[in-house]
Amino acid sequence: MRVFAALAVLFVGLVILANWLASRYVVSVGFGRMAPAGVFCIGAVLVLRDWMQQLRGLMWTMPLVYAAGLASWGIGDAAGWTSLQKIAVASVVAFTISETVEAVVFTPLRKRNLTLGVALSATVGNALDSYVFLALAFGSLTFFMGQFIGKSEMIALGTVLTLARRRLAPVLTPA
C-alpha cells in the first residue's frame, strides 16, 4: 500500500506540474520538434497509471485519474495557470479519455506481458491525449509530433524501468 500511495502522490503531482509547465513553456523534444513542456510529465503519468493498476487494480486507479484531472484543472484555474478556459477543458477531457482508453488496452495485456502492456497502452494513451488536447485547445495539430515524441521518450524510459524491475525483483501479484 505504501508503494501505491507514493506512486499516487507522484501521479497527481505530475498531472498538476504538467498543467503548469504547459501553460508556461515550449521545449525541444529532439528531432527538430517542439512541444508544450508538460509532455515529459504526461509521458511519465501514462506509465505510472499502469504501474498503479498493476499494484491495486482499476477500482483504485481510475478514480485517481479523474481526481487528478479535476485537481489539476481546479488548481490551475485558481492559480491562473489555465487562464484560457478552452485549454483547461481540453486538458481534462484529453487526460480523461486517454487514461480511460489506456486502461482498456492495458488490462488484458498486463497478465500476458506487463512490459508490453505498459509500452502499448501508454503509446495509445499518448496518441489520444496529444490529438484530443491539441484539437480541442487550439484547433490545430501543429505540435502533435512534438507532443508524441516528448511523451514517447518518457514512455520508453518507463518501459525500460518496468522491464528492469521485473527482472530484478519478484513479480507483483496483480490486483
Side-chain angles (χ1 to χ4, degrees), residues 3-5 7-8 11 44-66 98-112 114 117-118 121-122 172-175:
V3 172
F4 180 83
L7 290 176
F11 180 86
V45 161
L46 291 167
V47 172
L48 283 175
R49 198 217 55 78
D50 292 343
W51 291 357
M52 291 187 309
Q53 180 181 339
Q54 187 66 9
L55 285 170
R56 299 294 296 170
L58 280 173
M59 296 301 287
W60 284 78
T61 306
M62 293 315 293
L64 185 61
V65 166
Y66 307 131
S98 66
E99 289 292 299
T100 302
V101 171
E102 184 189 355
V104 169
V105 173
F106 179 71
T107 299
L109 291 175
R110 73 188 182 114
K111 292 180 182 172
R112 285 186 250 156
L114 179 62
V118 168
S121 66
L172 295 172
T173 304

Coordinates of all heavy atoms in Angstrom, one line a residue, residues 3-5 7-8 11 44-66 98-112 114 117-118 121-122 172-175:
V3 N 3.8 1.7 -1.5 CA 4.2 2.0 -2.8 C 3.1 2.6 -3.7 O 3.4 3.6 -4.4 CB 4.7 0.7 -3.5 CG1 5.1 0.9 -5.0 CG2 5.9 0.1 -2.7
F4 N 1.9 2.1 -3.5 CA 0.8 2.7 -4.3 C 0.6 4.1 -3.9 O 0.4 5.0 -4.7 CB -0.5 1.9 -4.1 CG -1.6 2.5 -4.8 CD1 -1.8 2.1 -6.2 CD2 -2.5 3.3 -4.2 CE1 -2.9 2.7 -6.9 CE2 -3.6 3.9 -4.9 CZ -3.8 3.6 -6.3
A5 N 0.6 4.4 -2.6 CA 0.4 5.8 -2.1 C 1.5 6.7 -2.6 O 1.2 7.8 -3.0 CB 0.4 5.8 -0.6
L7 N 3.3 6.3 -5.4 CA 3.0 6.5 -6.8 C 1.8 7.4 -7.1 O 1.8 8.2 -8.0 CB 2.8 5.1 -7.5 CG 4.0 4.2 -7.6 CD1 3.6 2.9 -8.2 CD2 5.1 4.8 -8.4
A8 N 0.8 7.3 -6.2 CA -0.4 8.1 -6.4 C -0.1 9.6 -6.2 O -0.5 10.5 -6.9 CB -1.5 7.7 -5.4
F11 N 1.9 10.7 -9.2 CA 0.9 10.7 -10.3 C 0.2 12.1 -10.3 O 0.2 12.8 -11.3 CB 0.0 9.6 -10.2 CG -1.1 9.5 -11.3 CD1 -0.8 8.9 -12.5 CD2 -2.3 10.0 -11.1 CE1 -1.7 8.8 -13.5 CE2 -3.3 10.0 -12.1 CZ -3.0 9.4 -13.3
A44 N 5.3 10.4 -18.3 CA 5.6 9.6 -17.1 C 4.2 9.2 -16.5 O 4.1 8.0 -16.0 CB 6.4 10.4 -16.1
V45 N 3.2 10.0 -16.5 CA 1.9 9.7 -16.0 C 1.3 8.5 -16.7 O 0.7 7.7 -16.0 CB 1.0 11.0 -16.1 CG1 -0.5 10.7 -15.9 CG2 1.4 12.0 -15.0
L46 N 1.5 8.5 -18.0 CA 0.9 7.3 -18.7 C 1.4 6.0 -18.2 O 0.7 5.0 -18.2 CB 1.1 7.5 -20.2 CG 0.4 8.7 -20.9 CD1 1.0 9.0 -22.3 CD2 -1.1 8.4 -21.0
V47 N 2.7 6.0 -17.9 CA 3.3 4.8 -17.3 C 2.9 4.5 -15.9 O 2.6 3.4 -15.5 CB 4.8 4.8 -17.5 CG1 5.5 3.6 -16.8 CG2 5.2 4.8 -19.0
L48 N 2.9 5.6 -15.1 CA 2.5 5.4 -13.7 C 1.1 4.8 -13.5 O 0.9 4.1 -12.6 CB 2.6 6.8 -13.0 CG 4.0 7.3 -12.6 CD1 3.9 8.7 -12.0 CD2 4.7 6.3 -11.6
R49 N 0.2 5.2 -14.4 CA -1.2 4.7 -14.2 C -1.1 3.2 -14.4 O -1.8 2.5 -13.6 CB -2.1 5.3 -15.3 CG -3.6 5.1 -14.9 CD -4.4 4.9 -16.1 NE -4.0 3.8 -16.9 CZ -4.2 2.5 -16.6 NH1 -4.9 2.2 -15.5 NH2 -3.8 1.5 -17.4
D50 N -0.4 2.7 -15.3 CA -0.3 1.2 -15.5 C 0.3 0.6 -14.3 O -0.1 -0.5 -13.8 CB 0.6 0.9 -16.7 CG -0.1 1.3 -18.0 OD1 -1.3 1.5 -18.0 OD2 0.7 1.4 -19.0
W51 N 1.4 1.2 -13.7 CA 2.0 0.6 -12.5 C 1.1 0.6 -11.4 O 1.0 -0.4 -10.6 CB 3.3 1.4 -12.2 CG 4.4 1.3 -13.1 CD1 4.5 0.5 -14.2 CD2 5.6 2.0 -13.0 NE1 5.7 0.7 -14.8 CE2 6.5 1.6 -14.1 CE3 6.2 2.9 -12.1 CZ2 7.7 2.1 -14.3 CZ3 7.4 3.4 -12.3 CH2 8.2 3.0 -13.4
M52 N 0.3 1.6 -11.2 CA -0.7 1.7 -10.1 C -1.8 0.6 -10.3 O -2.2 0.0 -9.3 CB -1.2 3.1 -9.9 CG -0.2 4.1 -9.4 SD -0.9 5.7 -9.0 CE -1.8 6.1 -10.5
Q53 N -2.2 0.5 -11.5 CA -3.2 -0.5 -11.8 C -2.7 -1.9 -11.5 O -3.4 -2.8 -10.9 CB -3.7 -0.5 -13.2 CG -4.8 -1.6 -13.5 CD -5.3 -1.6 -14.9 OE1 -5.2 -0.6 -15.6 NE2 -5.9 -2.7 -15.3
Q54 N -1.4 -2.2 -11.8 CA -0.8 -3.5 -11.5 C -0.8 -3.7 -10.0 O -0.9 -4.9 -9.6 CB 0.6 -3.5 -12.2 CG 1.2 -4.9 -12.1 CD 0.5 -6.0 -12.9 OE1 -0.4 -5.7 -13.7 NE2 0.9 -7.2 -12.7
L55 N -0.5 -2.7 -9.3 CA -0.4 -2.8 -7.8 C -1.8 -3.0 -7.1 O -1.9 -3.8 -6.2 CB 0.3 -1.6 -7.2 CG 1.8 -1.6 -7.4 CD1 2.3 -0.2 -6.9 CD2 2.5 -2.7 -6.6
R56 N -2.8 -2.2 -7.5 CA -4.1 -2.1 -6.8 C -5.3 -2.4 -7.6 O -6.4 -2.5 -7.0 CB -4.2 -0.8 -6.0 CG -3.1 -0.5 -5.1 CD -3.1 -1.4 -3.9 NE -4.3 -1.2 -3.1 CZ -4.7 -1.9 -2.1 NH1 -4.0 -2.9 -1.7 NH2 -5.8 -1.7 -1.5
G57 N -5.2 -2.4 -8.9 CA -6.4 -2.6 -9.7 C -7.1 -1.4 -10.2 O -6.8 -0.2 -9.7
L58 N -8.0 -1.5 -11.1 CA -8.8 -0.4 -11.7 C -9.6 0.3 -10.7 O -9.8 1.5 -10.8 CB -9.7 -0.9 -12.8 CG -9.0 -1.2 -14.1 CD1 -10.0 -1.8 -15.1 CD2 -8.4 0.1 -14.7
M59 N -10.2 -0.4 -9.7 CA -11.0 0.3 -8.7 C -10.3 1.4 -7.9 O -10.9 2.3 -7.4 CB -11.7 -0.7 -7.8 CG -12.6 -1.7 -8.5 SD -14.0 -0.9 -9.3 CE -15.0 -0.5 -8.0
W60 N -9.0 1.2 -7.8 CA -8.2 2.3 -7.1 C -7.7 3.3 -8.1 O -7.5 4.5 -7.7 CB -7.0 1.6 -6.3 CG -7.4 0.9 -5.1 CD1 -8.0 -0.4 -5.0 CD2 -7.3 1.4 -3.8 NE1 -8.2 -0.7 -3.7 CE2 -7.8 0.4 -2.9 CE3 -6.8 2.5 -3.2 CZ2 -7.8 0.5 -1.5 CZ3 -6.7 2.6 -1.9 CH2 -7.3 1.6 -1.0
T61 N -7.3 2.8 -9.2 CA -6.6 3.7 -10.2 C -7.5 4.7 -10.9 O -7.2 5.9 -11.0 CB -5.9 2.8 -11.2 OG1 -5.1 1.9 -10.5 CG2 -5.0 3.6 -12.1
M62 N -8.6 4.2 -11.4 CA -9.4 5.1 -12.3 C -10.0 6.3 -11.5 O -10.0 7.4 -12.0 CB -10.5 4.3 -13.0 CG -9.9 3.4 -14.1 SD -8.6 4.1 -15.1 CE -9.5 5.3 -16.1
P63 N -10.5 6.1 -10.3 CA -10.9 7.3 -9.5 C -9.8 8.3 -9.3 O -10.0 9.6 -9.4 CB -11.4 6.8 -8.2 CG -11.8 5.4 -8.5 CD -10.8 4.9 -9.5
L64 N -8.6 7.8 -9.2 CA -7.4 8.7 -9.0 C -7.2 9.5 -10.3 O -6.8 10.7 -10.3 CB -6.2 7.9 -8.6 CG -5.0 8.7 -8.3 CD1 -5.2 9.6 -7.1 CD2 -3.8 7.7 -8.0
V65 N -7.4 8.8 -11.4 CA -7.2 9.5 -12.7 C -8.1 10.7 -12.8 O -7.7 11.8 -13.2 CB -7.4 8.5 -13.9 CG1 -7.6 9.3 -15.2 CG2 -6.3 7.5 -14.0
Y66 N -9.4 10.5 -12.5 CA -10.4 11.6 -12.6 C -10.1 12.6 -11.6 O -10.2 13.8 -11.9 CB -11.8 11.0 -12.6 CG -12.0 9.9 -13.5 CD1 -12.6 8.7 -13.2 CD2 -11.6 10.0 -14.9 CE1 -12.7 7.6 -14.1 CE2 -11.8 9.0 -15.8 CZ -12.4 7.8 -15.4 OH -12.5 6.8 -16.3
S98 N -7.8 9.7 -22.7 CA -6.6 8.9 -22.9 C -6.3 7.9 -21.8 O -6.0 6.8 -22.1 CB -5.4 9.8 -23.1 OG -5.0 10.5 -22.0
E99 N -6.5 8.3 -20.6 CA -6.3 7.4 -19.4 C -7.3 6.3 -19.4 O -7.0 5.1 -19.0 CB -6.2 8.2 -18.1 CG -5.0 9.0 -18.0 CD -3.7 8.2 -17.8 OE1 -3.6 7.5 -16.8 OE2 -2.8 8.4 -18.6
T100 N -8.5 6.6 -19.7 CA -9.6 5.5 -19.7 C -9.3 4.5 -20.8 O -9.3 3.3 -20.6 CB -11.0 6.2 -19.9 OG1 -11.2 7.1 -18.9 CG2 -12.1 5.1 -19.9
V101 N -9.0 5.0 -22.0 CA -8.7 4.1 -23.1 C -7.4 3.3 -22.8 O -7.3 2.1 -23.1 CB -8.6 4.8 -24.5 CG1 -8.0 3.9 -25.6 CG2 -9.9 5.4 -24.9
E102 N -6.4 4.0 -22.2 CA -5.2 3.3 -21.8 C -5.5 2.1 -20.9 O -4.9 1.0 -21.0 CB -4.2 4.2 -21.2 CG -2.9 3.5 -20.9 CD -1.9 4.3 -20.0 OE1 -2.2 5.5 -19.7 OE2 -0.9 3.7 -19.7
A103 N -6.4 2.3 -19.9 CA -6.8 1.2 -19.0 C -7.4 0.1 -19.8 O -7.2 -1.1 -19.5 CB -7.7 1.7 -18.0
V104 N -8.2 0.4 -20.8 CA -8.9 -0.7 -21.6 C -7.8 -1.5 -22.3 O -7.9 -2.7 -22.4 CB -9.9 -0.1 -22.6 CG1 -10.4 -1.1 -23.6 CG2 -11.1 0.5 -21.8
V105 N -6.8 -0.8 -22.8 CA -5.7 -1.5 -23.6 C -4.8 -2.3 -22.6 O -4.5 -3.5 -22.9 CB -4.9 -0.5 -24.4 CG1 -3.7 -1.2 -25.0 CG2 -5.7 0.1 -25.5
F106 N -4.5 -1.7 -21.5 CA -3.5 -2.3 -20.5 C -4.1 -3.5 -19.8 O -3.4 -4.5 -19.6 CB -3.1 -1.3 -19.5 CG -2.2 -1.8 -18.5 CD1 -0.8 -2.1 -18.8 CD2 -2.6 -2.0 -17.1 CE1 0.0 -2.6 -17.8 CE2 -1.7 -2.5 -16.2 CZ -0.4 -2.8 -16.5
T107 N -5.4 -3.5 -19.5 CA -6.0 -4.5 -18.6 C -5.8 -5.9 -19.2 O -5.3 -6.8 -18.5 CB -7.4 -4.2 -18.3 OG1 -7.5 -2.9 -17.6 CG2 -8.1 -5.3 -17.5
P108 N -6.1 -6.2 -20.4 CA -5.9 -7.6 -20.9 C -4.5 -8.0 -21.2 O -4.1 -9.1 -21.1 CB -6.7 -7.6 -22.2 CG -6.8 -6.2 -22.7 CD -6.8 -5.4 -21.4
L109 N -3.6 -7.0 -21.5 CA -2.2 -7.3 -21.8 C -1.4 -7.5 -20.6 O -0.4 -8.2 -20.7 CB -1.6 -6.1 -22.6 CG -2.2 -5.9 -24.0 CD1 -1.6 -4.6 -24.6 CD2 -1.9 -7.1 -24.9
R110 N -1.7 -6.9 -19.5 CA -0.8 -6.9 -18.3 C -0.6 -8.3 -17.8 O 0.5 -8.6 -17.2 CB -1.4 -6.0 -17.2 CG -2.6 -6.6 -16.5 CD -3.2 -5.5 -15.6 NE -4.3 -6.1 -14.9 CZ -4.4 -6.3 -13.6 NH1 -3.3 -6.0 -12.8 NH2 -5.4 -6.8 -13.0
K111 N -1.5 -9.2 -17.9 CA -1.3 -10.5 -17.4 C -0.5 -11.4 -18.3 O 0.2 -12.3 -17.8 CB -2.7 -11.2 -17.1 CG -3.4 -10.6 -16.0 CD -4.8 -11.2 -15.8 CE -5.5 -10.5 -14.6 NZ -6.8 -10.9 -14.5
R112 N -0.5 -11.1 -19.6 CA 0.3 -11.8 -20.5 C 1.8 -11.3 -20.6 O 2.7 -12.1 -20.6 CB -0.3 -11.7 -21.9 CG -1.5 -12.6 -22.1 CD -2.0 -12.6 -23.5 NE -3.3 -11.9 -23.5 CZ -3.8 -11.3 -24.5 NH1 -3.2 -11.3 -25.6 NH2 -5.0 -10.7 -24.3
L114 N 3.6 -7.8 -18.9 CA 3.5 -6.5 -18.3 C 4.2 -5.4 -19.0 O 3.7 -4.3 -19.3 CB 3.9 -6.5 -16.8 CG 3.9 -5.2 -16.0 CD1 2.5 -4.7 -15.9 CD2 4.5 -5.4 -14.7
G117 N 2.4 -4.5 -22.2 CA 1.2 -3.8 -21.8 C 1.5 -2.4 -21.5 O 0.7 -1.5 -21.9
V118 N 2.5 -2.1 -20.7 CA 2.9 -0.7 -20.4 C 3.3 0.0 -21.7 O 2.8 1.1 -21.9 CB 4.1 -0.7 -19.4 CG1 4.7 0.7 -19.3 CG2 3.7 -1.2 -18.0
S121 N -0.1 0.3 -24.1 CA -1.2 1.1 -23.6 C -0.7 2.6 -23.5 O -1.5 3.5 -23.8 CB -1.7 0.6 -22.3 OG -0.7 0.7 -21.3
A122 N 0.5 2.8 -23.0 CA 1.0 4.2 -22.9 C 1.1 4.9 -24.2 O 0.8 6.1 -24.4 CB 2.3 4.2 -22.1
L172 N 5.0 -8.9 -8.9 CA 4.0 -8.4 -8.1 C 2.7 -9.2 -8.4 O 2.5 -9.5 -9.6 CB 3.7 -7.0 -8.2 CG 4.8 -6.0 -7.8 CD1 4.4 -4.6 -8.2 CD2 5.0 -6.1 -6.3
T173 N 1.9 -9.6 -7.4 CA 0.7 -10.2 -7.7 C -0.3 -9.2 -8.2 O -0.6 -8.2 -7.5 CB 0.1 -10.9 -6.4 OG1 1.1 -11.8 -5.9 CG2 -1.2 -11.6 -6.7
P174 N -0.8 -9.3 -9.4 CA -1.8 -8.3 -10.0 C -3.0 -8.3 -9.1 O -3.5 -9.3 -8.7 CB -2.1 -8.8 -11.4 CG -1.0 -9.8 -11.7 CD -0.5 -10.4 -10.4
A175 N -3.5 -7.1 -8.9 CA -4.8 -6.9 -8.2 C -6.0 -7.1 -9.1 O -5.9 -7.0 -10.3 CB -4.8 -5.5 -7.6

